[in-house]
Amino acid sequence: MTTVKWSAVVAAVLGFAITGGAAQAQTKLKWAHVYEPNEPFHTQSVWAAGELAKRTNGRYTIDVYPSSQLGKETDINQGLSLGSVDMIISGSSFAARSYPPIGVTYYPYVFRDANHLLAYTKSDVFKELAKGYTDKTGHQILAVTYYGARHTSSNKPIKTCADMKGLKIRVPDVPAYLAMPRACGANTAPIAFAEVYLALQNGTVEAQENPLTTIEAKKFYEVQKHIALTGHIVDHLNTVVSANLWKKLSDEDKKIFSEVAQEAAARATAEIQAKEKELVGFFKDKGLTVSEVDKEDFKQNVLKNVTFESFGYRKADYDKIQAIKSEPAL
């Protein structure tokens, strides 16, 4: 670069600093989640952080903290109100602690597949539930990412609901996650996500449930012999901005944050869907038995043993979700 050109660049940078830079100082934000650095939830959050900095001309810079660095999932949800985090990725099961109706998406077998879930995120019932959460907390759900269908890994084969009777299984300490295992007579243990591998390894529990992508990322397949494709919850994560940050954003910046979050969610969703298709073969190659189950058997046991009202859910919301049309899964 010639001296003349370099001088022009420096002058432009200084001009921005004196005008735009002085008018609006740079704001540093914290974005937290509990997932691994190699998972799409993290890599796409990092991409989004870069895009937000770019599209706001550097007015907002974001550091993304993976792997529970700023706390477990309960902690980072509380952190939105406490001011320790500005943005998080977290499931509606945790949002439901503040606004129970939004957790209806965790009632087992509420979604037929990933496409049904994605159709729900564009529906009026989703908008109503997200607004209810915002009205209660002030926090804003910007986007929804497909997390994967949750399946059950264990050290014994599982084909029917009855096969889970007495099974020691780790399940997140969230009522909706407990519904299917308890309806089938399993003994549930609420072990923290970061401690699951060790608990499986040392026999504290003999099973756990998560999407195939998580079973791979957390290497649970190293300490399990079987995967039953229970598909009991078609899971998702919300990208949530704190009430404090949302209030400070201009309308233009709110639009930018929403668009970037939704683009990142779509990118991560595509990665997860592609990965799920590959993983059954991967686990079989690792020596695990991967089995289909009688989902209707599991579903009927849940409907018989677990009421919507016991979770604070509304059956009307469930019925609206059931009525949503979607393309069948490929």
Side-chain angles (χ1 to χ4, degrees):
M1 184 180 285
T2 65
T3 305
V4 173
K5 283 183 180 176
W6 179 247
S7 299
V9 170
V10 171
V13 170
L14 288 174
F16 172 76
I18 292 166
T19 56
Q24 177 133 12
Q26 186 182 80
T27 301
K28 289 201 76 169
L29 303 174
K30 291 181 179 178
W31 185 341
H33 63 80
V34 301
Y35 302 99
E36 298 299 308
N38 63 335
E39 291 185 86
F41 316 116
H42 180 68
T43 56
Q44 294 303 335
S45 297
V46 171
W47 174 84
E51 284 297 302
L52 285 167
K54 191 189 304 179
R55 297 187 202 183
T56 63
N57 296 316
R59 285 180 284 109
Y60 292 95
T61 61
I62 302 173
D63 291 324
V64 184
Y65 297 86
S67 308
S68 305
Q69 288 177 15
L70 297 187
K72 295 170 184 172
E73 200 150 8
T74 298
D75 302 323
I76 63 173
N77 274 272
Q78 291 171 344
L80 288 172
S81 298
L82 296 173
S84 55
V85 296
D86 302 289
M87 298 177 67
I88 66 170
I89 296 174
S90 179
S92 288
S93 53
F94 286 87
R97 293 182 177 184
S98 300
Y99 180 66
I102 201 169
V104 70
T105 53
Y106 285 85
Y107 190 87
Y109 302 103
V110 66
F111 293 116
R112 295 181 290 276
D113 51 38
N115 289 337
H116 187 196
L117 165 71
L118 295 172
Y120 155 76
T121 67
K122 299 175 176 65
S123 71
D124 288 340
V125 63
F126 168 74
K127 289 170 189 165
E128 289 165 16
L129 291 168
K131 183 180 184 300
Y133 171 74
T134 297
D135 289 347
K136 187 72 181 287
T137 65
H139 311 319
Q140 189 78 19
I141 297 173
L142 298 188
V144 178
T145 303
Y146 173 58
Y147 183 79
R150 297 182 81 93
H151 301 295
T152 306
S153 72
S154 65
N155 286 329
K156 60 171 275 189
I158 295 169
K159 290 279 192 178
T160 66
C161 184
D163 291 335
M164 295 185 74
K165 188 172 177 60
L167 184 74
K168 291 188 297 181
I169 182 171
R170 180 271 174 177
V171 184
D173 190 18
V174 175
Y177 285 114
L178 299 166
M180 186 278 283
R182 287 187 176 172
C184 293
N187 295 325
T188 57
I191 293 163
F193 190 50
E195 297 157 16
V196 177
Y197 183 98
L198 185 61
L200 292 168
Q201 187 177 47
N202 65 25
T204 303
V205 291
E206 54 190 327
Q208 66 83 47
E209 53 81 57
N210 260 300
L212 299 181
T213 48
T214 304
I215 293 171
E216 186 220 12
K218 298 295 285 186
K219 300 190 185 300
F220 296 152
Y221 61 87
E222 294 179 347
V223 287
Q224 298 275 258
K225 296 174 184 172
H226 302 272
I227 295 174
L229 299 175
T230 47
H232 48 284
I233 294 173
V234 178
D235 210 345
H236 64 282
L237 299 175
N238 300 318
T239 305
V240 190
V241 168
S242 73
N244 189 42
L245 172 59
W246 193 247
K247 279 188 294 191
K248 292 177 181 174
L249 294 177
S250 66
D251 287 345
E252 182 186 354
D253 285 342
K254 284 177 180 175
K255 186 170 183 285
I256 292 170
F257 271 69
S258 297
E259 287 174 350
V260 170
Q262 286 166 21
E263 288 170 33
R267 290 162 61 103
T269 293
E271 283 191 55
I272 294 296
Q273 288 182 295
K275 188 79 173 176
E276 277 187 320
K277 290 177 182 175
E278 302 168 4
L279 282 174
V280 169
F282 170 84
F283 292 129
K284 286 179 177 176
D285 289 345
K286 292 291 182 183
L288 280 77
T289 303
V290 182
S291 307
E292 296 285 345
V293 303
D294 180 358
K295 288 186 182 178
E296 191 61 27
D297 169 51
F298 284 84
K299 181 178 180 179
Q300 291 306 317
N301 273 279
V302 172
L303 287 168
K304 184 172 69 179
N305 291 305
V306 184
T307 66
F308 296 98
E309 294 75 20
S310 65
F311 295 134
Y313 305 158
R314 299 179 300 219
K315 188 170 186 300
D317 293 328
Y318 172 86
D319 291 339
K320 287 176 190 173
I321 293 171
Q322 291 293 293
I324 294 169
K325 306 293 185 196
S326 64
E327 294 296 320
L330 297 176

